[in-house]
Amino acid sequence: MGAVSTTTILDGEDVSWFRDGPSLPAAARGAAAALARRLGLSSHRAAEVALAVTEAATNVQRHAVDGALLLRVVRDAGEAGVEFLTVDSGPGMRDVPASLADGTSSAGTLGIGLGAVSRLADHFDLHSVPGRGTVMTAQFWPRAVDGRVVVATPGASPAAGVTRPISGESVSGDAWAVRTAADGGHRPVVLVMLCDGLGHGPLAARASQAAVKAFHSTLDLSPAGILNAVHLALRETRGGAVAVARIEPDAGRLLYCGIGNVSGFLVTGDGRRALLSAPGIVGAHMRRLRTFEEQLPDHGALVMHSDGLTERWDPRSLPGLLHHSPLVMAGQLLREAGVRRDDASVVVVKGAW
């Protein structure tokens, strides 16, 4: 894939969201154990996954406001692992290191504590803002006979995203995808697409999945070329809003082309800079495409999201966010700006330049 390990993109698949409620720990535990076994993790490793998910889910149930847990599959070089993401809207942790210390656990949990969850996981990340909420993620991969993790760099992917269906639906009409491509330089180009299929439910999901397939198969890797390929693929669907970004690390630039209500931003610790899209519906009414060029900011990130998130979020109100993994960043923005009345998706690229 990439020329260096930090540009190896993990494939991620959202499996199921579990909303806060009395059944959250038991439901999440059973689903996590079954998923781990289905992916081929050993019975011991599957039990560790179930234990960690139970602790995290019970912590959400006991202390969170409007909490939820997402189970995901992650894939790298033929291997598959389990990942979970928890998102809640308060009260947050005032002292994260203390919360991760041995012997610290939530009342009513299994008592192993979040510190033990972090040690069971092959990758763990947590970001909490007091009075706002907490996002936590953990990754679990199979182990070799000698106990080694089967992937070289768990959690090192510079891109990750999350989708959440509208309340009442089991599938999301939003989708995102990332791929890399050699460009003759030291570091590969990173291509990112986000599609918001019109409407909700299976027909919207059909449109967004057609967009993902076209994104991965097209040979024209310019943003406009990819968008034209997606436009052709979506003609037999209800269409959607789509944006494509091309990150060129060696040139220090980003190329961006979008149609419809997909928001794009270059984010730094000082704020964010909006990326422009044109009106229209990909697959139906698409005006002449225009690609915009921006300089890549030092120590920044690219954020793209559907209109299932409002644009009323400010990175300056989430101190330390840019020091965390792309998935935690995506989860924190979903927590901060996501709405329940629409499908929602957000993808983040950080550390690719």
Side-chain angles (χ1 to χ4, degrees):
M1 294 271 279
V4 293
S5 62
T6 54
T7 49
T8 298
I9 308 295
L10 292 182
D11 290 327
E13 175 192 345
D14 297 344
V15 175
S16 185
W17 280 96
F18 297 87
R19 295 287 301 275
D20 192 5
S23 64
L24 171 61
R29 178 179 65 244
L35 179 61
R37 291 192 297 267
R38 178 166 65 83
L39 295 176
L41 275 68
S42 68
S43 58
H44 177 73
R45 192 63 176 142
E48 291 179 332
V49 172
L51 181 62
V53 166
T54 303
E55 180 77 14
T58 306
N59 189 68
V60 167
Q61 182 194 46
R62 294 276 176 174
H63 299 289
V65 177
D66 191 26
L69 183 146
L70 170 66
L71 280 180
R72 310 177 77 234
V73 176
V74 284
R75 293 185 172 88
D76 179 27
E79 298 289 349
V82 177
E83 184 170 56
F84 74 76
L85 174 76
T86 63
V87 180
D88 72 67
S89 294
M93 302 177 186
R94 296 196 176 276
D95 189 342
V96 171
S99 298
L100 295 177
D102 286 338
T104 302
S105 62
S106 303
T109 69
L110 297 179
I112 67 169
L114 295 181
V117 172
S118 71
R119 289 196 299 277
L120 289 173
D122 297 309
H123 171 72
F124 177 88
D125 193 17
L126 183 152
H127 181 243
S128 189
V129 181
R132 304 287 282 273
T134 300
V135 173
M136 176 173 61
T137 183
Q139 241 176 57
F140 303 84
W141 293 92
R143 297 291 175 88
V145 175
D146 61 3
R148 290 182 297 107
V149 183
V150 298
V151 295
T153 52
S157 177
V162 62
T163 62
R164 185 178 68 189
I166 187 174
S167 296
E169 288 283 358
S170 59
V171 296
S172 173
D174 290 3
W176 61 272
V178 180
R179 60 186 285 198
T180 59
D183 194 38
H186 295 292
R187 291 172 292 181
V189 165
V190 179
L191 300 158
V192 191
M193 184 206 68
L194 189 141
C195 176
D196 178 354
L198 290 187
H200 315 292
L203 291 180
R206 178 172 170 259
S208 63
Q209 290 306 313
V212 170
K213 184 177 179 180
F215 169 79
H216 281 298
S217 61
T218 184
L219 299 179
D220 185 342
L221 301 185
S222 67
I226 293 172
L227 209 45
N228 276 318
V230 172
H231 178 63
L232 291 174
L234 266 58
R235 282 184 171 176
E236 300 302 319
T237 74
R238 56 174 55 179
V242 182
V244 177
R246 177 185 169 101
I247 297 169
E248 300 180 351
D250 289 338
R253 70 173 186 172
L254 175 137
L255 302 177
Y256 188 86
C257 186
I259 295 290
N261 261 348
V262 173
S263 299
F265 299 93
L266 286 171
V267 178
T268 68
D270 296 325
R272 67 186 196 184
R273 184 163 75 250
L275 304 169
L276 299 179
S277 290
I281 301 173
V282 180
H285 316 297
M286 194 170 75
R287 61 171 60 185
R288 184 174 63 88
L289 298 177
R290 183 178 176 187
T291 299
F292 296 91
E293 179 177 338
E294 296 282 350
Q295 182 178 356
L296 291 170
D298 293 337
H299 313 297
L302 168 68
V303 173
M304 296 165 61
H305 65 74
S306 70
D307 61 359
L309 282 74
T310 73
E311 294 188 349
R312 295 192 298 272
W313 56 269
D314 185 343
R316 293 169 295 187
S317 69
L318 302 168
L321 182 64
L322 280 165
H323 297 298
H324 290 271
S325 66
L327 183 59
V328 162
M329 288 184 64
Q332 196 65 277
L333 294 177
L334 180 66
R335 181 206 60 76
E336 186 80 357
V339 298
R340 295 287 185 185
R341 62 180 182 276
D342 199 357
D343 295 326
S345 59
V346 54
V347 58
V348 176
V349 182
K350 181 180 77 81
W353 66 84

